[in-house]
Amino acid sequence: MFRKFYLGPLANLGDRARIDVVRHRVASRLGRHGQSLLAVLAALALIGGGTLAANAAAGPDPDRSPAAVGVGAGPALADRADAAGRSGRSGRSDRSEREKPGKPQATQPKESSKPKPKPKPQPKPKPKPQPKPKPKPKPKPDWVHPMPGAGTTSCFGWRWGSMHAGVDLASPHGTPIRAAGAGTVVNAGWVFSGYGISVVIDHGNGFFTHYAHASRATVSPGQWVSPGQTIAREGSTGNSTGPHLHFEVHKGMWNQVEPTAWLRHRGVAVGGC
């Protein structure tokens, strides 16, 4: 609205007349509140009028033609508009070129905001099973049964009017006869009447063991034997009614003692007596 009543009169009236017209119209429109604005407008009008008068006295300036200042159409304005059009088209062309879809540019993968899963704990390697230590062999006993598994057929004592000085142990013919304890072989073979083939071992503590009625001896006098070592094979030589071992214990040679009690005292059980 301000441009309508202000710029129109400025294009058709003289300097003074234009100022009066502007002042009158602005005052009528604004009233008493526009006095300060009127003073500003009057000053601007005077400055503008002085400039126009100076330009008229100097003559027309080809560079200041209406086309150059933008009042009317002219070659300069056309050239500028053409240049602006080309610039606008060039800008649009550049933007269109940039906006054309092309190959997607490689982008760095965004780091995920999710917390990374914790690595699963690796199971601890199981310790290799240690090989079980081999059981230590049990120490051999000092004293053993002279014929394990044999049956007792006669015990120590009087029998048929004579002294039976040992214990009879029966097993099949050829069963191994074993040394009751460690010692040195004193006799081996058919040495004593009535005993057939026999073996006598000296145990070095004043005791001897005597094994009679064997089918054969497997050791020799002077040989060292260990507890349980085979010294003869069962038989029925001498005064015998069948294959058996006649076993005696001597406390000093020819001083026989009850053999089953003697063995029991040394941890060997002989049943049947």
Side-chain angles (χ1 to χ4, degrees), residues 130-158:
Q130 297 294 329
K132 293 182 179 180
K134 294 181 179 180
K136 294 181 179 180
K138 293 181 179 180
K140 292 183 179 180
D142 293 335
W143 302 94
V144 299
H145 197 295
M147 188 178 285
T152 302
T153 58
S154 184
C155 297
F156 179 88
W158 289 95

Side-chain angles (χ1 to χ4, degrees), residues 38-112:
L38 286 174
V40 174
L41 292 174
L44 292 174
L46 289 175
I47 295 169
T51 303
L52 292 173
N55 290 337
D61 186 359
D63 295 334
R64 301 283 299 173
S65 62
V69 297
V71 175
L77 180 61
D79 293 341
R80 291 182 182 180
D82 187 31
R86 288 197 301 272
S87 176
R89 287 193 300 273
S90 177
R92 287 194 298 273
S93 177
D94 293 342
R95 285 196 299 273
S96 62
E97 288 295 332
R98 289 195 298 268
E99 291 173 359
K100 285 183 180 179
K103 294 184 179 179
Q105 295 181 355
T107 58
Q108 296 295 332
K110 294 182 180 180
E111 293 185 359
S112 176

